[in-house]
Amino acid sequence: MPATVSLRGVSRTFGQRPVLTSIDLHVEAGETVAVLGPSGSGKSTLLRLVAGLDTPTEGTVSLDGSPALVFQDPRLMSWRSLASNVAFGLPKGTPRAVRAREVKRWLDIVGLDGFERHRPSEVSGGMAGRTALARALVRQPGVLLLDEPFAALDALTRLRMQDLLDEVQRAAGTTVLLVTHDIDEALQLADRIVVLGTGPAATITATVEVPTPRPRARDDLDLLPLRADLLRRLGVGRSASDKEPLR
């Protein structure tokens, strides 16, 4: 079942360096929320807190289901086949017949039918990324946590992976928390977009609803004002009157 995620008054400090402060965020079951922010704003730290890989200095993090985390690097085991990498995501003790059925099902869903026996070095970066996604989803997590999973891919493969994620999420109803630096990716995939600000410790500066139902056309003109608003919130795209004159 899809999980709800809740962060209340969450702060994280490393030594004397504050990274996140006073984070309040609630993600509904089945919702896709994207987290935008400049480099160093604590996006990945927030995701690690939700995944249970780190603990907050202050506040509480709760979710009512199991998480699965997908990184920018697929982190596949090079000595295993793609099928074996996906199977690694299943709980220990899963019966062999169930394991084989679920691995095949998810490899089919992500478009890797026929590549079960290939090793990671024998496939493209996009195919490796799809394998990592299948490995996360085969365990039917309550929430899928994505840390810029498509950033290292070429532009065309990235678009295809975005479409695949959108299709799989809508079919499975999985809760998704997506960290990205790509505004267009956030607008394509998210029901809601959270913006982290800069400063000695980042906090949420805006929460923006994306009103257009998914799946969305990338050339949807209704998204342009929202895109411009997000750019302004991130300190990009100021009007000419706001800029200092050239000297």
Side-chain angles (χ1 to χ4, degrees):
M1 295 292 293
T4 59
V5 180
S6 183
L7 294 88
R8 298 182 179 179
V10 168
S11 299
R12 183 65 174 101
T13 300
F14 293 97
Q16 299 299 313
R17 184 172 65 90
V19 176
L20 295 171
T21 185
S22 302
I23 300 294
D24 290 302
L25 174 63
H26 183 77
V27 183
E28 295 287 352
E31 186 180 21
T32 297
V33 172
V35 181
L36 281 176
S39 297
S41 61
K43 300 187 300 297
S44 294
T45 298
L46 187 150
L47 212 62
R48 289 176 60 85
L49 290 170
V50 176
L53 300 177
D54 195 5
T55 54
T57 306
E58 296 178 359
T60 60
V61 179
S62 61
L63 62 158
D64 57 3
S66 60
L69 182 58
V70 178
F71 298 94
Q72 179 176 331
D73 178 353
R75 302 191 181 188
L76 301 179
M77 290 170 281
S78 61
W79 62 94
R80 290 177 177 259
S81 67
L82 300 191
S84 183
N85 270 281
V86 173
F88 192 76
L90 287 166
K92 290 183 178 180
T94 300
R96 180 175 296 181
V98 174
R99 180 182 297 266
R101 184 185 70 236
E102 288 302 297
V103 167
K104 175 172 175 48
R105 182 168 80 94
W106 281 103
L107 283 173
D108 288 351
I109 288 173
V110 300
L112 290 175
D113 180 35
F115 290 90
E116 295 87 350
R117 297 186 179 182
H118 285 63
R119 295 180 185 271
S121 61
E122 298 172 329
V123 299
S124 67
M127 295 169 77
R130 281 184 268 167
T131 304
L133 185 60
R135 180 179 59 189
L137 289 169
V138 74
R139 64 193 302 174
Q140 300 182 30
V143 57
L144 183 63
L145 306 172
L146 302 171
D147 192 359
E148 301 196 26
F150 313 137
L153 302 176
D154 65 85
L156 187 57
T157 302
R158 184 164 62 247
L159 296 179
R160 288 171 175 161
M161 288 296 294
Q162 290 169 2
D163 290 343
L164 173 64
L165 174 62
D166 190 36
E167 181 182 346
V168 168
Q169 189 282 329
R170 286 185 290 108
T174 308
T175 306
V176 175
L177 188 58
L178 166 69
V179 161
T180 181
H181 66 277
D182 186 336
I183 290 176
D184 293 323
E185 182 169 88
L187 287 171
Q188 184 70 17
L189 298 175
D191 302 306
R192 227 174 0 126
I193 299 172
V194 171
V195 180
L196 288 180
T198 56
T203 192
I204 294 175
T205 59
T207 301
V208 179
E209 301 278 347
V210 185
T212 309
R214 294 185 285 130
R216 300 181 181 118
R218 288 187 169 85
D219 59 355
D220 187 341
L221 296 180
D222 291 338
L223 296 177
L224 290 180
L226 190 53
R227 185 179 189 275
D229 178 59
L230 288 167
L231 284 169
R232 283 192 296 270
R233 292 181 185 276
L234 292 167
V236 182
R238 295 178 300 168
S239 65
S241 61
D242 293 332
K243 297 179 181 178
E244 295 183 3
L246 296 175
R247 301 182 184 276

Short mmCIF file of all heavy atoms in Angstrom, two decimals, residues 155-207:
data_model
loop_
_atom_site.label_atom_id
_atom_site.label_comp_id
_atom_site.label_asym_id
_atom_site.label_seq_id
_atom_site.Cartn_x
_atom_site.Cartn_y
_atom_site.Cartn_z
N ALA A 155 19.90 13.55 -22.80
CA ALA A 155 18.62 14.25 -22.75
C ALA A 155 17.46 13.38 -23.21
O ALA A 155 16.39 13.36 -22.58
CB ALA A 155 18.70 15.51 -23.61
N LEU A 156 17.63 12.64 -24.31
CA LEU A 156 16.53 11.83 -24.85
C LEU A 156 16.19 10.68 -23.91
O LEU A 156 15.01 10.41 -23.65
CB LEU A 156 16.90 11.30 -26.22
CG LEU A 156 15.80 10.57 -26.99
CD1 LEU A 156 14.57 11.46 -27.16
CD2 LEU A 156 16.30 10.09 -28.35
N THR A 157 17.22 10.01 -23.38
CA THR A 157 16.98 8.91 -22.45
C THR A 157 16.31 9.42 -21.18
O THR A 157 15.44 8.76 -20.61
CB THR A 157 18.30 8.20 -22.10
OG1 THR A 157 18.91 7.72 -23.29
CG2 THR A 157 18.06 7.02 -21.17
N ARG A 158 16.71 10.61 -20.73
CA ARG A 158 16.10 11.19 -19.54
C ARG A 158 14.60 11.41 -19.73
O ARG A 158 13.79 11.11 -18.85
CB ARG A 158 16.79 12.51 -19.19
CG ARG A 158 16.29 13.13 -17.90
CD ARG A 158 17.24 14.20 -17.38
NE ARG A 158 17.39 15.31 -18.31
CZ ARG A 158 18.50 15.60 -18.97
NH1 ARG A 158 19.58 14.85 -18.82
NH2 ARG A 158 18.56 16.65 -19.77
N LEU A 159 14.21 11.91 -20.91
CA LEU A 159 12.79 12.12 -21.19
C LEU A 159 12.03 10.79 -21.19
O LEU A 159 10.90 10.70 -20.66
CB LEU A 159 12.61 12.83 -22.53
CG LEU A 159 13.17 14.25 -22.63
CD1 LEU A 159 12.92 14.81 -24.03
CD2 LEU A 159 12.56 15.17 -21.58
N ARG A 160 12.63 9.76 -21.77
CA ARG A 160 11.98 8.45 -21.80
C ARG A 160 11.82 7.88 -20.39
O ARG A 160 10.79 7.28 -20.07
CB ARG A 160 12.81 7.50 -22.67
CG ARG A 160 12.73 7.81 -24.17
CD ARG A 160 13.72 6.98 -24.95
NE ARG A 160 13.57 7.18 -26.38
CZ ARG A 160 14.51 6.87 -27.27
NH1 ARG A 160 15.66 6.33 -26.88
NH2 ARG A 160 14.30 7.09 -28.56
N MET A 161 12.84 8.07 -19.55
CA MET A 161 12.77 7.58 -18.18
C MET A 161 11.72 8.34 -17.37
O MET A 161 11.02 7.76 -16.53
CB MET A 161 14.14 7.68 -17.52
CG MET A 161 15.15 6.67 -18.03
SD MET A 161 14.68 4.95 -17.68
CE MET A 161 14.79 4.92 -15.90
N GLN A 162 11.58 9.63 -17.62
CA GLN A 162 10.54 10.41 -16.95
C GLN A 162 9.16 9.87 -17.31
O GLN A 162 8.29 9.70 -16.45
CB GLN A 162 10.67 11.88 -17.32
CG GLN A 162 11.87 12.57 -16.74
CD GLN A 162 12.11 13.95 -17.35
OE1 GLN A 162 11.34 14.40 -18.20
NE2 GLN A 162 13.16 14.62 -16.93
N ASP A 163 8.96 9.60 -18.60
CA ASP A 163 7.67 9.06 -19.05
C ASP A 163 7.41 7.70 -18.42
O ASP A 163 6.27 7.39 -18.03
CB ASP A 163 7.64 8.95 -20.58
CG ASP A 163 7.59 10.31 -21.27
OD1 ASP A 163 7.26 11.31 -20.61
OD2 ASP A 163 7.90 10.36 -22.49
N LEU A 164 8.45 6.87 -18.34
CA LEU A 164 8.31 5.55 -17.74
C LEU A 164 7.92 5.67 -16.27
O LEU A 164 7.00 4.99 -15.80
CB LEU A 164 9.60 4.76 -17.89
CG LEU A 164 9.65 3.42 -17.16
CD1 LEU A 164 8.63 2.46 -17.74
CD2 LEU A 164 11.06 2.81 -17.24
N LEU A 165 8.61 6.53 -15.53
CA LEU A 165 8.30 6.71 -14.11
C LEU A 165 6.87 7.19 -13.93
O LEU A 165 6.14 6.69 -13.06
CB LEU A 165 9.28 7.70 -13.48
CG LEU A 165 8.97 8.07 -12.03
CD1 LEU A 165 9.04 6.85 -11.12
CD2 LEU A 165 9.93 9.16 -11.54
N ASP A 166 6.46 8.14 -14.74
CA ASP A 166 5.10 8.67 -14.64
C ASP A 166 4.07 7.57 -14.89
O ASP A 166 3.08 7.43 -14.16
CB ASP A 166 4.93 9.81 -15.66
CG ASP A 166 3.64 10.58 -15.46
OD1 ASP A 166 3.22 10.75 -14.30
OD2 ASP A 166 3.04 11.00 -16.46
N GLU A 167 4.32 6.76 -15.92
CA GLU A 167 3.40 5.67 -16.25
C GLU A 167 3.32 4.64 -15.13
O GLU A 167 2.23 4.22 -14.74
CB GLU A 167 3.85 5.01 -17.55
CG GLU A 167 2.97 3.87 -18.02
CD GLU A 167 3.48 3.22 -19.29
OE1 GLU A 167 4.37 3.80 -19.96
OE2 GLU A 167 3.00 2.13 -19.63
N VAL A 168 4.49 4.25 -14.61
CA VAL A 168 4.53 3.23 -13.56
C VAL A 168 3.87 3.76 -12.29
O VAL A 168 3.10 3.05 -11.62
CB VAL A 168 5.98 2.80 -13.29
CG1 VAL A 168 6.07 1.96 -12.02
CG2 VAL A 168 6.53 2.00 -14.47
N GLN A 169 4.15 5.01 -11.93
CA GLN A 169 3.58 5.57 -10.71
C GLN A 169 2.06 5.64 -10.79
O GLN A 169 1.36 5.30 -9.83
CB GLN A 169 4.17 6.96 -10.44
CG GLN A 169 3.81 7.55 -9.08
CD GLN A 169 2.41 8.13 -9.00
OE1 GLN A 169 1.88 8.62 -9.99
NE2 GLN A 169 1.82 8.07 -7.81
N ARG A 170 1.55 6.07 -11.93
CA ARG A 170 0.09 6.18 -12.06
C ARG A 170 -0.57 4.80 -12.06
O ARG A 170 -1.68 4.64 -11.55
CB ARG A 170 -0.25 6.95 -13.34
CG ARG A 170 0.01 8.44 -13.22
CD ARG A 170 -0.44 9.22 -14.44
NE ARG A 170 0.39 8.97 -15.61
CZ ARG A 170 0.01 8.28 -16.67
NH1 ARG A 170 -1.22 7.76 -16.72
NH2 ARG A 170 0.83 8.09 -17.69
N ALA A 171 0.12 3.79 -12.59
CA ALA A 171 -0.43 2.44 -12.63
C ALA A 171 -0.40 1.79 -11.24
O ALA A 171 -1.35 1.13 -10.83
CB ALA A 171 0.33 1.58 -13.62
N ALA A 172 0.72 1.99 -10.52
CA ALA A 172 0.89 1.32 -9.23
C ALA A 172 0.37 2.15 -8.06
O ALA A 172 0.11 1.60 -6.98
CB ALA A 172 2.37 1.01 -9.01
N GLY A 173 0.21 3.46 -8.25
CA GLY A 173 -0.25 4.32 -7.17
C GLY A 173 0.76 4.55 -6.07
O GLY A 173 0.41 4.93 -4.95
N THR A 174 2.03 4.32 -6.36
CA THR A 174 3.09 4.45 -5.36
C THR A 174 3.28 5.90 -4.95
O THR A 174 3.23 6.81 -5.79
CB THR A 174 4.42 3.91 -5.93
OG1 THR A 174 4.21 2.60 -6.45
CG2 THR A 174 5.50 3.86 -4.86
N THR A 175 3.52 6.14 -3.68
CA THR A 175 3.91 7.46 -3.20
C THR A 175 5.35 7.73 -3.65
O THR A 175 6.21 6.85 -3.52
CB THR A 175 3.84 7.53 -1.67
OG1 THR A 175 2.53 7.14 -1.26
CG2 THR A 175 4.14 8.94 -1.16
N VAL A 176 5.61 8.92 -4.18
CA VAL A 176 6.94 9.24 -4.70
C VAL A 176 7.41 10.57 -4.13
O VAL A 176 6.66 11.56 -4.14
CB VAL A 176 6.94 9.32 -6.25
CG1 VAL A 176 8.31 9.77 -6.76
CG2 VAL A 176 6.58 7.96 -6.86
N LEU A 177 8.64 10.58 -3.63
CA LEU A 177 9.32 11.81 -3.23
C LEU A 177 10.56 11.93 -4.10
O LEU A 177 11.48 11.12 -4.00
CB LEU A 177 9.68 11.78 -1.75
CG LEU A 177 10.24 13.07 -1.14
CD1 LEU A 177 9.27 14.23 -1.29
CD2 LEU A 177 10.59 12.86 0.33
N LEU A 178 10.54 12.92 -4.99
CA LEU A 178 11.58 13.07 -6.02
C LEU A 178 12.41 14.30 -5.76
O LEU A 178 11.89 15.42 -5.72
CB LEU A 178 10.91 13.18 -7.40
CG LEU A 178 11.77 13.66 -8.57
CD1 LEU A 178 12.83 12.61 -8.93
CD2 LEU A 178 10.90 13.98 -9.79
N VAL A 179 13.71 14.11 -5.56
CA VAL A 179 14.65 15.22 -5.46
C VAL A 179 15.22 15.48 -6.85
O VAL A 179 15.70 14.56 -7.52
CB VAL A 179 15.78 14.89 -4.47
CG1 VAL A 179 16.99 15.78 -4.69
CG2 VAL A 179 15.29 15.04 -3.04
N THR A 180 15.14 16.72 -7.31
CA THR A 180 15.64 17.06 -8.63
C THR A 180 16.09 18.51 -8.66
O THR A 180 15.64 19.33 -7.86
CB THR A 180 14.56 16.81 -9.72
OG1 THR A 180 15.09 17.14 -11.00
CG2 THR A 180 13.31 17.65 -9.47
N HIS A 181 17.00 18.81 -9.59
CA HIS A 181 17.38 20.21 -9.84
C HIS A 181 16.71 20.72 -11.11
O HIS A 181 16.90 21.87 -11.50
CB HIS A 181 18.90 20.31 -9.99
CG HIS A 181 19.42 19.60 -11.21
ND1 HIS A 181 19.67 18.25 -11.23
CD2 HIS A 181 19.70 20.05 -12.45
CE1 HIS A 181 20.09 17.91 -12.43
NE2 HIS A 181 20.11 18.97 -13.20
N ASP A 182 15.92 19.85 -11.76
CA ASP A 182 15.35 20.12 -13.07
C ASP A 182 13.89 20.56 -12.93
O ASP A 182 13.02 19.75 -12.60
CB ASP A 182 15.47 18.86 -13.93
CG ASP A 182 15.04 19.06 -15.37
OD1 ASP A 182 14.27 19.99 -15.64
OD2 ASP A 182 15.47 18.27 -16.23
N ILE A 183 13.61 21.85 -13.16
CA ILE A 183 12.25 22.37 -13.03
C ILE A 183 11.30 21.68 -13.99
O ILE A 183 10.17 21.33 -13.63
CB ILE A 183 12.25 23.89 -13.25
CG1 ILE A 183 12.94 24.59 -12.07
CG2 ILE A 183 10.83 24.43 -13.40
CD1 ILE A 183 13.08 26.08 -12.24
N ASP A 184 11.74 21.46 -15.23
CA ASP A 184 10.86 20.82 -16.21
C ASP A 184 10.51 19.39 -15.78
O ASP A 184 9.38 18.93 -16.00
CB ASP A 184 11.52 20.82 -17.58
CG ASP A 184 11.64 22.22 -18.16
OD1 ASP A 184 10.72 23.03 -17.95
OD2 ASP A 184 12.67 22.52 -18.79
N GLU A 185 11.46 18.69 -15.20
CA GLU A 185 11.20 17.34 -14.70
C GLU A 185 10.16 17.38 -13.58
O GLU A 185 9.23 16.56 -13.54
CB GLU A 185 12.49 16.71 -14.20
CG GLU A 185 12.36 15.29 -13.70
CD GLU A 185 13.70 14.64 -13.47
OE1 GLU A 185 14.26 14.78 -12.36
OE2 GLU A 185 14.21 14.00 -14.40
N ALA A 186 10.31 18.33 -12.68
CA ALA A 186 9.36 18.47 -11.59
C ALA A 186 7.96 18.78 -12.12
O ALA A 186 6.96 18.21 -11.67
CB ALA A 186 9.81 19.57 -10.63
N LEU A 187 7.86 19.67 -13.09
CA LEU A 187 6.57 20.03 -13.67
C LEU A 187 5.94 18.86 -14.42
O LEU A 187 4.73 18.73 -14.49
CB LEU A 187 6.73 21.22 -14.61
CG LEU A 187 6.98 22.58 -13.95
CD1 LEU A 187 7.33 23.63 -14.99
CD2 LEU A 187 5.76 23.01 -13.15
N GLN A 188 6.77 18.00 -14.98
CA GLN A 188 6.26 16.85 -15.73
C GLN A 188 5.72 15.76 -14.83
O GLN A 188 4.73 15.10 -15.15
CB GLN A 188 7.38 16.28 -16.61
CG GLN A 188 6.97 15.14 -17.52
CD GLN A 188 6.07 15.59 -18.65
OE1 GLN A 188 5.99 16.78 -18.95
NE2 GLN A 188 5.39 14.66 -19.29
N LEU A 189 6.34 15.58 -13.65
CA LEU A 189 6.07 14.39 -12.85
C LEU A 189 5.31 14.63 -11.56
O LEU A 189 4.68 13.71 -11.04
CB LEU A 189 7.40 13.70 -12.50
CG LEU A 189 8.23 13.19 -13.68
CD1 LEU A 189 9.56 12.64 -13.17
CD2 LEU A 189 7.48 12.12 -14.44
N ALA A 190 5.36 15.84 -11.01
CA ALA A 190 4.88 16.05 -9.64
C ALA A 190 3.45 16.56 -9.58
O ALA A 190 3.00 17.31 -10.44
CB ALA A 190 5.81 17.02 -8.92
N ASP A 191 2.76 16.15 -8.52
CA ASP A 191 1.48 16.75 -8.17
C ASP A 191 1.71 18.05 -7.39
O ASP A 191 0.90 18.98 -7.47
CB ASP A 191 0.66 15.80 -7.30
CG ASP A 191 0.41 14.46 -8.00
OD1 ASP A 191 -0.10 14.48 -9.13
OD2 ASP A 191 0.74 13.42 -7.42
N ARG A 192 2.82 18.07 -6.64
CA ARG A 192 3.16 19.23 -5.83
C ARG A 192 4.67 19.41 -5.87
O ARG A 192 5.42 18.43 -5.92
CB ARG A 192 2.72 18.99 -4.38
CG ARG A 192 1.99 20.13 -3.77
CD ARG A 192 1.41 19.86 -2.40
NE ARG A 192 1.61 18.57 -1.79
CZ ARG A 192 2.14 18.41 -0.57
NH1 ARG A 192 2.57 19.44 0.13
NH2 ARG A 192 2.23 17.19 -0.06
N ILE A 193 5.12 20.67 -5.83
CA ILE A 193 6.55 20.96 -5.87
C ILE A 193 6.91 21.77 -4.62
O ILE A 193 6.28 22.78 -4.32
CB ILE A 193 6.93 21.75 -7.14
CG1 ILE A 193 6.62 20.93 -8.39
CG2 ILE A 193 8.41 22.14 -7.11
CD1 ILE A 193 6.79 21.69 -9.69
N VAL A 194 7.93 21.29 -3.90
CA VAL A 194 8.43 21.96 -2.71
C VAL A 194 9.76 22.61 -3.06
O VAL A 194 10.64 21.97 -3.66
CB VAL A 194 8.61 20.95 -1.56
CG1 VAL A 194 9.33 21.58 -0.38
CG2 VAL A 194 7.26 20.40 -1.13
N VAL A 195 9.92 23.87 -2.69
CA VAL A 195 11.14 24.61 -3.00
C VAL A 195 11.92 24.82 -1.70
O VAL A 195 11.39 25.37 -0.73
CB VAL A 195 10.83 25.98 -3.65
CG1 VAL A 195 12.13 26.73 -3.96
CG2 VAL A 195 10.02 25.79 -4.93
N LEU A 196 13.18 24.40 -1.71
CA LEU A 196 14.08 24.65 -0.59
C LEU A 196 14.89 25.91 -0.89
O LEU A 196 15.46 26.05 -1.98
CB LEU A 196 15.03 23.48 -0.37
CG LEU A 196 14.44 22.19 0.21
CD1 LEU A 196 15.55 21.15 0.37
CD2 LEU A 196 13.78 22.45 1.56
N GLY A 197 14.96 26.81 0.06
CA GLY A 197 15.74 28.04 -0.11
C GLY A 197 17.18 27.84 0.29
O GLY A 197 17.59 26.78 0.77
N THR A 198 17.97 28.86 0.07
CA THR A 198 19.37 28.83 0.45
C THR A 198 19.54 29.51 1.81
O THR A 198 18.59 30.00 2.40
CB THR A 198 20.24 29.55 -0.59
OG1 THR A 198 19.75 30.90 -0.74
CG2 THR A 198 20.16 28.85 -1.92
N GLY A 199 20.76 29.53 2.28
CA GLY A 199 21.04 30.14 3.57
C GLY A 199 21.94 29.23 4.36
O GLY A 199 22.30 28.14 3.91
N PRO A 200 22.29 29.65 5.56
CA PRO A 200 23.12 28.77 6.39
C PRO A 200 22.44 27.44 6.67
O PRO A 200 23.08 26.42 6.86
CB PRO A 200 23.32 29.59 7.67
CG PRO A 200 22.25 30.63 7.66
CD PRO A 200 21.97 30.91 6.22
N ALA A 201 21.11 27.43 6.71
CA ALA A 201 20.34 26.19 6.83
C ALA A 201 19.08 26.35 6.01
O ALA A 201 18.31 27.29 6.20
CB ALA A 201 20.01 25.89 8.29
N ALA A 202 18.85 25.43 5.08
CA ALA A 202 17.72 25.55 4.17
C ALA A 202 16.42 25.19 4.85
O ALA A 202 16.37 24.33 5.73
CB ALA A 202 17.95 24.66 2.95
N THR A 203 15.36 25.86 4.42
CA THR A 203 14.02 25.52 4.86
C THR A 203 13.09 25.60 3.65
O THR A 203 13.51 26.04 2.57
CB THR A 203 13.54 26.45 5.98
OG1 THR A 203 12.35 25.93 6.57
CG2 THR A 203 13.29 27.86 5.46
N ILE A 204 11.86 25.16 3.80
CA ILE A 204 10.90 25.22 2.69
C ILE A 204 10.41 26.65 2.52
O ILE A 204 9.85 27.24 3.45
CB ILE A 204 9.73 24.26 2.94
CG1 ILE A 204 10.22 22.80 2.93
CG2 ILE A 204 8.64 24.44 1.88
CD1 ILE A 204 9.16 21.78 3.29
N THR A 205 10.64 27.21 1.34
CA THR A 205 10.23 28.59 1.07
C THR A 205 8.94 28.67 0.27
O THR A 205 8.32 29.73 0.23
CB THR A 205 11.35 29.34 0.31
OG1 THR A 205 11.62 28.65 -0.93
CG2 THR A 205 12.62 29.40 1.14
N ALA A 206 8.54 27.58 -0.38
CA ALA A 206 7.31 27.59 -1.16
C ALA A 206 6.84 26.17 -1.40
O ALA A 206 7.65 25.24 -1.52
CB ALA A 206 7.52 28.30 -2.50
N THR A 207 5.54 26.00 -1.48
CA THR A 207 4.91 24.75 -1.90
C THR A 207 3.93 25.09 -3.01
O THR A 207 3.02 25.91 -2.80
CB THR A 207 4.19 24.06 -0.74
OG1 THR A 207 5.13 23.77 0.31
CG2 THR A 207 3.57 22.75 -1.20
#
